[in-house]
Amino acid sequence: MSIGIWVLGDQLWTEQAALKSCEPKRSNTPVILIESLYYAKQRHYHRQKLVLIWSAMRHFAKELRDRGWSVTYEIADDFEVPLKAWVKTNNITELRVMAPNDRPFAQMIESLSLSCKITLVHNNHFLWSKEDFQEWAKSQKSLLLENFYREGRRRFDVLIEGNKPVGGQWNFDKQNRKPPKGKLNTPDALWFEPDRTTQAVIDWVKSQDFPAYGEVEPFRWAVTRQQALQVLDFFIQYRLPNFGPYQDAMLTGEETMWHSMLSPYLNIGLLQPEDAIAKVQKAYYEKKLDLTSVEGFIRQVLGWREYMHGVYHYVDNDYGKRNWFNHTQPLPQFYWDAEKTDMNCLRQILMQVQRIGYAHHIQRLMVLNNFALIAGISPFELEEWFHAAFIDAYDWVMQTNVIGMGQFADGGILASKPYAASANYINKMSDYCGSCVYKQQERTGEQACPFNFFYWDFLARHRDQLKSQGRMSLTLRHLERLSPEELKKIRQEAIEWHAKISAKV
Ligand code: FAD
Ligand code: SF4
């Protein structure tokens, strides 16, 4: 029997399960990596994401060769043709692939017509296996993140002392919502100049006519594990000490604040969750870092990230098609072209996403996503856009974050209430409103902020459905204070806004 290994573009580390299974025989085990142009031609991706993946793959192929693996690297229109030729040339009888994180990719592999057996090796990209998550989920009344997170802390012994949370408290969320008032000295980000390999990919992407999104240059992301580890160390030294308190704050011109910018690397295997968790925990004990920041970060990686992956594989295959509010408005064109909106918060963040393929969590959730939710945009169109626009986007993390957390399109499997907010929240947590043509305190009228009339219109339109969500009762009581005349005016403004936007297309 002759085994060959296919390494996918988001499985770029030497300890991944398929490579590990043949490690002792590496000099006799052929390995293949394939840059397939099929996907890049089928749907939009951020140009910097294409560069990141393909450059990281090329660097990883070299790393494997240096470690004694025999590596074939192909650039092709699809996967099947180069796989068939490689299987034949190397007399491969068993093709091993680590099970993909994304369902559509797993289905594509199953549909391949190859002359050899295909084995999907158990995925070791996450701390929680799919099976362990399922066992946990079945023991719960509802999929509460907080319970999952606490179980994760205990199970993996993270910030635990004698079975109790360090500091006597499981979470410091309340301390981690400081608005950005006064002068904030935000730290620089660690970026890299492209090397020759990366520059070749940049030039290649520039020369192609892909239906892509965003700017390809300047490209400054890390493309190797060594660089990704530098980003992690840099984060711990300069950003982590203030990560917690200002986690939700947004400032004009500040693309990353104190965030770690690790998701692009965690999602393609250049970093493992264990790397980030172990180093941050060590820094907490050795450098006596502030626990609110340390716990805040651990909650993201050990809590949210593992939870989203677990939920993706736990829910039914039709999860991505859910639309609880039955929202059907088309996605406004300005999501694809920031110049086309005069709403300052959206414009600032959309320009940033075009530039670097990144926005931090609150920019994604409470501005980009919130607007689509309250304006009644189709969740599928929104998800398609998020998938195209972000450097760290993959099916497993997109469906759960956009369809579940962001749009509440799953009716509350994942979130306990919709993340809907008016301009009040954006004004409190950012400096965007100060230089906006709209008035953040006005609900109706010429200069009323669209976040306001859409917010109240959203609550009014879905009042009956929202009544079933316990955590919405206080908000719905506020709605009762608006007169029928004002609600009618609000409805009218919302309708006119959509009409105006679609007339511009
Ligand atoms: P930090 O704020 O520094 O957090 C540290 C790490 O925690 C992140 O790198 C990430 O790995 C993890 N994390 C935190 N929250 C989440 C979460 N909700 N889901 C998964 N991991 C999380 N994350 C992606 O990786 N890819 C996406 O395509 C993506 N799309 C999103 C879309 C929407 C609408 C929302 C609300 C969130 C989305 N997220 C996505 C989650 C989160 O916003 C990003 O992981 C985070 O902003 C990445 O930046 P960072 O590395 O600086 O994160
Ligand atoms: Fe955004 Fe409204 Fe504030 Fe303008 S006023 S920045 S549109 S929230």
Tab-separated table of all heavy atoms in Angstrom, residues 341-347 367 371 422-427 430-441 447-452, ligand 2:
chain	number	residue	atom	x	y	z
A	341	THR	N	-21.483	55.369	0.470
A	341	THR	CA	-22.323	55.718	1.627
A	341	THR	C	-21.785	56.977	2.320
A	341	THR	O	-20.576	57.189	2.375
A	341	THR	CB	-22.444	54.580	2.665
A	341	THR	OG1	-23.281	55.050	3.725
A	341	THR	CG2	-21.111	54.141	3.238
A	342	ASP	N	-22.727	57.786	2.832
A	342	ASP	CA	-22.293	58.956	3.602
A	342	ASP	C	-22.481	58.715	5.101
A	342	ASP	O	-22.310	59.616	5.909
A	342	ASP	CB	-23.035	60.223	3.143
A	342	ASP	CG	-24.545	60.055	3.155
A	342	ASP	OD1	-25.021	58.991	3.614
A	342	ASP	OD2	-25.254	60.973	2.714
A	343	MET	N	-22.842	57.501	5.482
A	343	MET	CA	-22.933	57.184	6.923
A	343	MET	C	-21.498	56.957	7.414
A	343	MET	O	-20.843	55.981	7.011
A	343	MET	CB	-23.781	55.929	7.130
A	343	MET	CG	-25.262	56.206	6.976
A	343	MET	SD	-26.225	54.732	7.315
A	343	MET	CE	-26.330	54.046	5.712
A	344	ASN	N	-21.011	57.832	8.250
A	344	ASN	CA	-19.587	57.844	8.560
A	344	ASN	C	-19.082	56.538	9.181
A	344	ASN	O	-18.007	56.051	8.834
A	344	ASN	CB	-19.253	59.035	9.467
A	344	ASN	CG	-17.756	59.254	9.548
A	344	ASN	OD1	-17.058	59.106	8.552
A	344	ASN	ND2	-17.261	59.568	10.726
A	345	CYS	N	-19.844	55.954	10.097
A	345	CYS	CA	-19.364	54.721	10.758
A	345	CYS	C	-19.165	53.623	9.711
A	345	CYS	O	-18.112	52.977	9.646
A	345	CYS	CB	-20.331	54.274	11.846
A	345	CYS	SG	-22.039	54.143	11.311
A	346	LEU	N	-20.177	53.432	8.871
A	346	LEU	CA	-20.084	52.385	7.852
A	346	LEU	C	-18.969	52.695	6.857
A	346	LEU	O	-18.175	51.819	6.498
A	346	LEU	CB	-21.424	52.254	7.116
A	346	LEU	CG	-22.494	51.481	7.893
A	346	LEU	CD1	-23.879	51.753	7.340
A	346	LEU	CD2	-22.214	49.986	7.854
A	347	ARG	N	-18.901	53.931	6.455
A	347	ARG	CA	-17.891	54.315	5.463
A	347	ARG	C	-16.471	54.063	5.980
A	347	ARG	O	-15.635	53.487	5.303
A	347	ARG	CB	-18.095	55.789	5.119
A	347	ARG	CG	-17.264	56.292	3.976
A	347	ARG	CD	-17.536	57.781	3.834
A	347	ARG	NE	-16.555	58.410	3.002
A	347	ARG	CZ	-16.714	58.636	1.696
A	347	ARG	NH1	-17.815	58.272	1.095
A	347	ARG	NH2	-15.764	59.228	1.003
A	367	VAL	N	-21.673	47.353	13.882
A	367	VAL	CA	-21.864	48.325	12.802
A	367	VAL	C	-22.243	47.590	11.511
A	367	VAL	O	-23.389	47.681	11.049
A	367	VAL	CB	-20.611	49.222	12.604
A	367	VAL	CG1	-20.878	50.256	11.519
A	367	VAL	CG2	-20.252	49.931	13.908
A	371	PHE	N	-26.300	47.022	11.156
A	371	PHE	CA	-27.055	47.802	10.165
A	371	PHE	C	-27.877	46.865	9.275
A	371	PHE	O	-29.064	47.104	9.021
A	371	PHE	CB	-26.117	48.669	9.314
A	371	PHE	CG	-26.902	49.554	8.389
A	371	PHE	CD1	-27.521	50.701	8.877
A	371	PHE	CD2	-27.085	49.221	7.061
A	371	PHE	CE1	-28.306	51.505	8.046
A	371	PHE	CE2	-27.862	50.010	6.225
A	371	PHE	CZ	-28.472	51.160	6.720
A	422	SER	N	-29.228	51.114	18.196
A	422	SER	CA	-29.394	52.380	17.484
A	422	SER	C	-28.061	53.136	17.478
A	422	SER	O	-27.049	52.628	17.979
A	422	SER	CB	-30.455	53.219	18.197
A	422	SER	OG	-29.952	53.584	19.465
A	423	ALA	N	-28.101	54.366	16.957
A	423	ALA	CA	-26.880	55.192	16.906
A	423	ALA	C	-26.327	55.473	18.300
A	423	ALA	O	-25.134	55.759	18.458
A	423	ALA	CB	-27.183	56.499	16.196
A	424	ASN	N	-27.181	55.407	19.297
A	424	ASN	CA	-26.762	55.644	20.665
A	424	ASN	C	-25.535	54.799	21.043
A	424	ASN	O	-24.565	55.295	21.608
A	424	ASN	CB	-27.953	55.272	21.559
A	424	ASN	CG	-27.882	55.991	22.861
A	424	ASN	OD1	-27.147	56.970	22.977
A	424	ASN	ND2	-28.630	55.504	23.845
A	425	TYR	N	-25.592	53.509	20.713
A	425	TYR	CA	-24.488	52.602	21.038
A	425	TYR	C	-23.228	53.011	20.271
A	425	TYR	O	-22.134	53.106	20.835
A	425	TYR	CB	-24.861	51.151	20.692
A	425	TYR	CG	-23.707	50.205	20.928
A	425	TYR	CD1	-23.480	49.635	22.172
A	425	TYR	CD2	-22.789	49.921	19.897
A	425	TYR	CE1	-22.393	48.798	22.396
A	425	TYR	CE2	-21.693	49.097	20.109
A	425	TYR	CZ	-21.505	48.533	21.360
A	425	TYR	OH	-20.418	47.721	21.578
A	426	ILE	N	-23.380	53.289	18.978
A	426	ILE	CA	-22.206	53.622	18.149
A	426	ILE	C	-21.587	54.926	18.638
A	426	ILE	O	-20.365	55.061	18.719
A	426	ILE	CB	-22.606	53.690	16.657
A	426	ILE	CG1	-23.075	52.300	16.205
A	426	ILE	CG2	-21.450	54.179	15.782
A	426	ILE	CD1	-23.661	52.228	14.824
A	427	ASN	N	-22.437	55.862	19.012
A	427	ASN	CA	-21.932	57.140	19.520
A	427	ASN	C	-21.172	56.944	20.835
A	427	ASN	O	-20.129	57.548	21.068
A	427	ASN	CB	-23.092	58.112	19.714
A	427	ASN	CG	-22.596	59.490	20.074
A	427	ASN	OD1	-21.644	59.984	19.487
A	427	ASN	ND2	-23.224	60.108	21.055
A	430	SER	N	-17.689	54.916	19.990
A	430	SER	CA	-16.771	55.347	18.930
A	430	SER	C	-16.734	56.868	18.837
A	430	SER	O	-17.483	57.564	19.522
A	430	SER	CB	-17.242	54.788	17.581
A	430	SER	OG	-18.301	55.583	17.065
A	431	ASP	N	-15.891	57.365	17.908
A	431	ASP	CA	-15.897	58.808	17.620
A	431	ASP	C	-16.487	59.080	16.234
A	431	ASP	O	-16.299	60.153	15.684
A	431	ASP	CB	-14.474	59.370	17.711
A	431	ASP	CG	-13.548	58.797	16.634
A	431	ASP	OD1	-13.955	57.862	15.910
A	431	ASP	OD2	-12.408	59.285	16.499
A	432	TYR	N	-17.156	58.086	15.653
A	432	TYR	CA	-17.639	58.232	14.276
A	432	TYR	C	-18.724	59.312	14.131
A	432	TYR	O	-18.774	60.021	13.134
A	432	TYR	CB	-18.207	56.911	13.747
A	432	TYR	CG	-17.213	55.776	13.655
A	432	TYR	CD1	-17.557	54.483	14.076
A	432	TYR	CD2	-15.937	55.977	13.117
A	432	TYR	CE1	-16.661	53.435	13.979
A	432	TYR	CE2	-15.033	54.918	13.025
A	432	TYR	CZ	-15.400	53.646	13.459
A	432	TYR	OH	-14.513	52.614	13.359
A	433	CYS	N	-19.608	59.395	15.106
A	433	CYS	CA	-20.785	60.260	14.930
A	433	CYS	C	-20.412	61.742	14.878
A	433	CYS	O	-21.097	62.518	14.204
A	433	CYS	CB	-21.796	60.014	16.048
A	433	CYS	SG	-22.375	58.312	16.075
A	434	GLY	N	-19.321	62.100	15.565
A	434	GLY	CA	-18.921	63.508	15.632
A	434	GLY	C	-18.714	64.125	14.259
A	434	GLY	O	-18.991	65.300	14.054
A	435	SER	N	-18.228	63.334	13.288
A	435	SER	CA	-18.004	63.931	11.965
A	435	SER	C	-18.912	63.297	10.913
A	435	SER	O	-18.489	63.036	9.792
A	435	SER	CB	-16.530	63.815	11.567
A	435	SER	OG	-15.961	62.663	12.099
A	436	CYS	N	-20.144	63.070	11.286
A	436	CYS	CA	-21.094	62.445	10.353
A	436	CYS	C	-22.127	63.477	9.892
A	436	CYS	O	-22.486	64.385	10.644
A	436	CYS	CB	-21.803	61.290	11.053
A	436	CYS	SG	-22.872	60.365	9.930
A	437	VAL	N	-22.617	63.313	8.675
A	437	VAL	CA	-23.642	64.247	8.176
A	437	VAL	C	-24.987	64.008	8.869
A	437	VAL	O	-25.875	64.856	8.824
A	437	VAL	CB	-23.841	64.132	6.644
A	437	VAL	CG1	-22.607	64.593	5.914
A	437	VAL	CG2	-24.206	62.712	6.233
A	438	TYR	N	-25.140	62.845	9.494
A	438	TYR	CA	-26.408	62.544	10.172
A	438	TYR	C	-26.333	62.912	11.653
A	438	TYR	O	-25.252	62.939	12.237
A	438	TYR	CB	-26.760	61.064	10.007
A	438	TYR	CG	-27.008	60.698	8.568
A	438	TYR	CD1	-26.037	60.046	7.816
A	438	TYR	CD2	-28.208	61.055	7.946
A	438	TYR	CE1	-26.251	59.736	6.475
A	438	TYR	CE2	-28.418	60.748	6.604
A	438	TYR	CZ	-27.446	60.093	5.881
A	438	TYR	OH	-27.662	59.803	4.554
A	439	LYS	N	-27.504	63.116	12.231
A	439	LYS	CA	-27.541	63.478	13.660
A	439	LYS	C	-27.869	62.213	14.453
A	439	LYS	O	-28.949	61.638	14.305
A	439	LYS	CB	-28.616	64.544	13.892
A	439	LYS	CG	-28.283	65.861	13.181
A	439	LYS	CD	-28.491	67.030	14.147
A	439	LYS	CE	-27.746	68.266	13.732
A	439	LYS	NZ	-28.369	69.032	12.672
A	440	GLN	N	-26.924	61.854	15.297
A	440	GLN	CA	-27.066	60.563	15.979
A	440	GLN	C	-28.226	60.523	16.969
A	440	GLN	O	-28.684	59.454	17.331
A	440	GLN	CB	-25.751	60.132	16.632
A	440	GLN	CG	-25.197	61.026	17.710
A	440	GLN	CD	-25.847	60.821	19.064
A	440	GLN	OE1	-26.465	59.782	19.295
A	440	GLN	NE2	-25.730	61.802	19.932
A	441	GLN	N	-28.750	61.691	17.396
A	441	GLN	CA	-29.848	61.650	18.375
A	441	GLN	C	-31.221	61.737	17.700
A	441	GLN	O	-32.235	61.598	18.371
A	441	GLN	CB	-29.665	62.723	19.466
A	441	GLN	CG	-29.817	64.177	19.058
A	441	GLN	CD	-28.550	64.747	18.393
A	441	GLN	OE1	-27.783	64.000	17.811
A	441	GLN	NE2	-28.364	66.051	18.485
A	447	GLN	N	-32.181	64.825	8.631
A	447	GLN	CA	-30.832	64.414	9.042
A	447	GLN	C	-30.841	63.272	10.060
A	447	GLN	O	-29.810	62.990	10.683
A	447	GLN	CB	-30.098	65.616	9.621
A	447	GLN	CG	-29.629	66.583	8.544
A	447	GLN	CD	-28.763	67.649	9.153
A	447	GLN	OE1	-29.253	68.455	9.953
A	447	GLN	NE2	-27.490	67.656	8.804
A	448	ALA	N	-31.949	62.618	10.199
A	448	ALA	CA	-32.017	61.526	11.188
A	448	ALA	C	-31.037	60.425	10.819
A	448	ALA	O	-30.895	60.076	9.640
A	448	ALA	CB	-33.433	60.963	11.220
A	449	CYS	N	-30.380	59.867	11.805
A	449	CYS	CA	-29.444	58.770	11.549
A	449	CYS	C	-30.234	57.511	11.155
A	449	CYS	O	-31.128	57.081	11.884
A	449	CYS	CB	-28.619	58.487	12.806
A	449	CYS	SG	-27.712	56.955	12.658
A	450	PRO	N	-29.888	56.894	10.016
A	450	PRO	CA	-30.607	55.679	9.600
A	450	PRO	C	-30.574	54.559	10.641
A	450	PRO	O	-31.481	53.740	10.700
A	450	PRO	CB	-29.897	55.267	8.313
A	450	PRO	CG	-29.332	56.555	7.776
A	450	PRO	CD	-28.945	57.351	8.992
A	451	PHE	N	-29.517	54.509	11.462
A	451	PHE	CA	-29.481	53.483	12.509
A	451	PHE	C	-30.668	53.658	13.467
A	451	PHE	O	-31.106	52.694	14.079
A	451	PHE	CB	-28.166	53.553	13.302
A	451	PHE	CG	-27.032	52.808	12.651
A	451	PHE	CD1	-26.240	53.424	11.695
A	451	PHE	CD2	-26.769	51.484	12.973
A	451	PHE	CE1	-25.199	52.736	11.080
A	451	PHE	CE2	-25.731	50.789	12.367
A	451	PHE	CZ	-24.945	51.422	11.413
A	452	ASN	N	-31.143	54.902	13.595
A	452	ASN	CA	-32.249	55.141	14.533
A	452	ASN	C	-33.596	54.701	13.971
A	452	ASN	O	-34.301	53.911	14.594
A	452	ASN	CB	-32.302	56.616	14.928
A	452	ASN	CG	-31.119	56.984	15.795
A	452	ASN	OD1	-30.506	56.099	16.401
A	452	ASN	ND2	-30.784	58.247	15.841
B	2	SF4	FE1	-23.186	56.135	12.014
B	2	SF4	FE2	-25.460	57.411	12.551
B	2	SF4	FE3	-23.283	57.935	13.957
B	2	SF4	FE4	-23.473	58.697	11.409
B	2	SF4	S1	-24.718	59.398	13.123
B	2	SF4	S2	-21.711	57.757	12.383
B	2	SF4	S3	-24.612	57.004	10.530
B	2	SF4	S4	-24.363	56.000	13.903
